[in-house]
Amino acid sequence: MNKLSPRTVSIFGATGSVGTSTLELIRLDRDKYHIVALTANSNAEELAKLAKEFNAEVAVIADVSQYDALKALLADTNVEVAAGPDQLVEAAALGADWTMAAIVGCAGLPPTLAALKCGKTVALANKEALVSAGALMMAQARDAGATLLPVDSEHNAIFQCLQGGRIDQVRKITLTASGGPFRTWSKEQMASVTPEQAVAHPNWDMGAKISVDSATMMNKGLELIEAHHLFPVGLENIDILVHPQSVIHSMVEYHDCSTLAQLGSPDMRIPIASALAWPERMKTDCLPLDLAKIGKLDFEAPDYDRFPAIKLARGAIEAGGAVPAILNAANEIAVAAFLAGDVQFLEITEIVSRIIDGYSPPEPNDLADIFGIDKEARERTITMIEDVKV
Ligand code: NDP
């Protein structure tokens, strides 16, 4: 990067929780960045507002039915307007110096791959893309010489802890988990959980899908798969530890039994800032950690009986092939159905498990195979949910 010229930045999923946190950080030092692309799914109003404020070169809305609305809202500006999934890929291929991949779900996979192909820096929040197509994404990053910076707080913590050693010196990685809003609830209590209760995370303010994933602990399962791809230490060397305060974001233990941990307030702007400034550090207005005030940190083993999603995800990565993509697709549909009031909370993981058991396609070789598997798994899940409803 030329230090004198602004860094070019694109944000995929700009209207979401991670996207707006990223833009908040950019506001702190506005002149340092030139915004190439901002994208959303259907929220044309918010996208137009952000594109105007940040003087984006292009604003892309995935939902083509919102094109006219976005075009009208940006009529008096120089912002180029585009719509549709292919246009997301085109915007990613513009190759900003730094791209934030913060679309939720597997829909983020094509633009993330296109951004990686440019060989620049991609900050990855969109864990579902890595879960569905981990091998393909890592190969794309390697082949293009791209830098992939993990933004998920746990993976960002591990990435930071690995600055203190090498991956081949690692004995164990510990992913911490808050345990979500139902950490202490019995299965009977969880049976009648409402969407409002499930999205009310005790520590983190996040989008609806990841909040439900945190409540079922499928989020930790997805993160296990994510960690397996990002940090090749062997699945058996990645542990999960429940830590309700979300202060330690993850740990790396080296062969000499020295453990490095990364700590911070539970605020996504902290890992995002680390990725935005990397390899430098930027000043933020985030809350500094006050350990004296927190007093004590608690830890416990995960309860796999009440939260079977973690084991399901571990099994999916052990099985390999198409299974992680099936797990992800079924989970996306089941979570959306729960949020729509069509299935019960405990049924989410049950549905995912049944879809995995009943669908065994051949191993995917390319992106087309992955999308075929993703589509079929979604259709099967929708059919199963229709049956559950009646
Ligand atoms: P949000 O639901 O808050 O935002 C999602 C963003 O993606 C929005 O901009 C949305 O647009 C856009 N979007 C949704 N569906 C599509 C689609 N089909 N095509 C194109 N764009 C789409 O999600 P979060 O910000 O919470 O999460 C984003 C990603 O980051 C997820 O993968 C999540 O797991 C991960 N993550 C999030 C964390 C958090 O704290 N929120 C922490 C760690 C990881 P619109 O506004 O128009 O709907």
Side-chain angles (χ1 to χ4, degrees), residues 10-12 37 88-102 108-124 137 140-141 144-148:
S10 286
I11 302 174
F12 288 77
L88 286 177
V89 172
E90 276 202 21
L94 292 173
D97 297 328
W98 191 91
T99 296
M100 168 55 83
L109 176 57
T112 305
L113 281 172
L116 287 170
K117 207 171 182 179
C118 298
K120 307 274 180 63
T121 299
V122 175
L124 184 76
M137 266 180 70
Q140 181 69 276
T147 303
L148 189 58

Side-chain angles (χ1 to χ4, degrees), residues 24 38 54 82 100 123 126 153 165 173 216 369:
E24 254 181 64
L38 296 180
F54 288 92
M100 168 55 83
N126 177 210
S153 59
I173 284 175
T216 59
D369 289 349

Side-chain angles (χ1 to χ4, degrees), residues 42 61-69 83:
S42 57
I61 191 117
D63 179 350
V64 287
S65 73
Q66 294 299 313
Y67 175 79
D68 289 343

Side-chain angles (χ1 to χ4, degrees), residues 147-199:
T147 303
L148 189 58
L149 297 175
V151 167
D152 219 345
S153 59
E154 295 77 2
H155 306 76
N156 183 267
I158 296 162
F159 179 80
Q160 293 197 46
C161 293
L162 282 170
Q163 308 304 308
R166 293 193 316 266
I167 194 92
D168 62 301
Q169 298 168 327
V170 173
R171 186 170 170 270
K172 192 174 84 175
I173 284 175
T174 302
L175 282 174
T176 53
S178 69
F182 311 129
R183 181 177 60 86
T184 59
W185 290 34
S186 67
K187 264 194 171 171
E188 291 68 34
Q189 286 173 303
M190 282 194 272
S192 54
V193 156
T194 64
E196 291 70 30
Q197 288 172 311
V199 297

Side-chain angles (χ1 to χ4, degrees), residues 190-267:
M190 282 194 272
S192 54
V193 156
T194 64
E196 291 70 30
Q197 288 172 311
V199 297
H201 196 281
N203 304 341
W204 300 94
D205 182 12
M206 310 182 285
K209 194 262 177 183
I210 185 174
S211 298
V212 175
D213 283 345
S214 296
T216 59
M217 291 195 76
M218 179 61 88
N219 184 48
K220 214 44 60 180
L222 299 178
E223 288 179 6
L224 182 69
I225 300 176
E226 195 183 1
H228 169 73
H229 289 296
L230 290 170
F231 312 111
V233 297
L235 192 60
E236 67 285 5
N237 298 318
I238 308 177
D239 276 357
I240 291 170
L241 178 68
V242 174
H243 164 45
Q245 292 90 354
S246 300
V247 166
I248 296 180
H249 298 300
S250 278
M251 298 178 256
V252 172
E253 183 180 330
Y254 289 94
H255 287 315
D256 57 5
C257 291
S258 184
T259 297
L260 298 193
Q262 187 266 342
L263 286 71
S265 303
D267 180 339

